[in-house]
Amino acid sequence: MPAPTTRASRLIPAAPDAVWNALMDPKALEQWLPPGDMTGRMHAFDGRVGGGFEMSLYYPEGETEHVGKTAAREDRTRVRFAALAPGRRVVWAVLFDTDDPALQAEMTITVSLEPAPGGTRVTFVSKNLPPGLRPADNEAGSKESLKKLAGWFGG
């Protein structure tokens, strides 16, 4: 059985080049990529194919529903830029920093940017989700990140 795929899409009130800049700016990623009430911290960033970034996402204090994949409140990821098409598409190859074998598979997230009336249609397609990552949680997190990205641009 193939690994699950999820998809989330949202109109972002900005031109594709501006959205691209938010995808390639480590400080911007810290702000909009962590879903919901999570916060982020960038550890390393190399904006070229074969480069990537290492980032921690932190659950809020007092979070009891979710358990971190790396530490009690932390999900640390290593993301490799598998492909970059400026202003159009980025492909992230994502690994969780975890001891849990059910979360150790590399998944890919393709972020596509399409010009649209009122801004840019941004779509996340996540493939090859590790067996320990629930597709519904991944889809919800993607939607929350896209909501924060829209907010980054005042939407």
Side-chain angles (χ1 to χ4, degrees):
M1 183 169 150
T5 296
T6 65
R7 178 185 174 89
S9 186
R10 186 177 181 112
L11 181 66
I12 306 300
D17 287 345
V19 175
W20 176 260
N21 290 340
L23 289 169
M24 297 304 293
D25 176 343
K27 291 296 181 196
L29 285 166
E30 281 182 332
Q31 298 300 311
W32 70 260
L33 189 57
D37 293 331
M38 295 183 85
T39 57
R41 187 171 130 231
M42 189 69 65
H43 302 289
F45 187 89
D46 180 357
R48 61 189 167 89
V49 173
F53 59 92
E54 189 170 336
M55 183 174 183
S56 289
L57 305 177
Y58 297 99
Y59 293 92
E61 291 284 345
E63 172 69 52
T64 57
E65 188 176 330
H66 297 95
V67 175
K69 296 168 185 66
T70 306
R73 292 181 39 244
E74 179 186 11
D75 290 349
R76 190 169 180 143
T77 57
R78 285 175 284 144
V79 178
R80 178 177 44 84
F81 291 124
L84 296 171
R88 296 194 331 258
R89 182 175 57 93
V90 60
V91 179
W92 295 332
V94 181
L95 283 169
F96 289 107
D97 184 359
T98 181
D99 292 331
D100 184 345
L103 292 168
Q104 291 178 344
E106 182 180 81
M107 70 176 172
T108 60
I109 303 173
T110 300
V111 184
S112 301
L113 287 65
E114 293 291 330
T120 303
R121 171 69 51 189
V122 178
T123 304
F124 286 10
V125 176
S126 301
K127 293 184 177 180
N128 196 39
L129 272 62
L133 182 59
R134 290 186 23 197
D137 291 345
N138 186 73
E139 184 175 337
S142 295
K143 287 178 179 177
E144 290 173 3
S145 293
L146 286 168
K147 181 179 179 181
K148 284 175 119 175
L149 178 60
W152 179 258
F153 292 103

